């Protein structure tokens, strides 16, 4: 059994990784947007079986969020 590694999670504009459970298959990285920005979609990504991360979140200006 080989552990599948995704490497470090990708950088996301206007966000920082707030928690990282690991870089291997099934593990997750959670992002937090910087002040003035809000997450569009989910705030985490998962290391997939093919060694890639799922699609990262977007951080958009909070003023553009629907209320």
């Amino acid at each position: 059994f080989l552990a599948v590694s995704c490497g470090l999670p990708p950088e996301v504009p206007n966000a920082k990784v707030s928690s990282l459970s690991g870089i291997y298959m099934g593990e997750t990285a959670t992002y937090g947007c910087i002040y003035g920005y809000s997450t569009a979609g989910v705030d985490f990504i998962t290391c997939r079986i093919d060694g890639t991360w799922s699609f990262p979140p977007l951080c958009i200006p909070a003023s553009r969020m629907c209320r």
Side-chain angles (χ1 to χ4, degrees):
F1 153 71
L2 274 171
V4 175
S5 172
C6 288
L8 292 176
E11 290 189 22
V12 172
N14 304 306
K16 300 279 184 196
V17 174
S18 59
S19 71
L20 178 64
S21 70
I23 61 169
Y24 297 100
M25 186 179 69
E27 296 179 318
T28 61
T30 302
Y31 291 85
C33 297
I34 63 173
Y35 181 78
Y37 289 80
S38 295
T39 305
V42 296
D43 64 350
F44 68 93
I45 58 175
T46 303
C47 181
R48 299 186 288 203
I49 194 168
D50 65 356
T52 63
W53 289 101
S54 57
F55 293 105
L58 294 174
C59 289
I60 60 174
S63 60
R64 296 181 55 193
M65 295 292 290
C66 296
R67 299 189 195 282

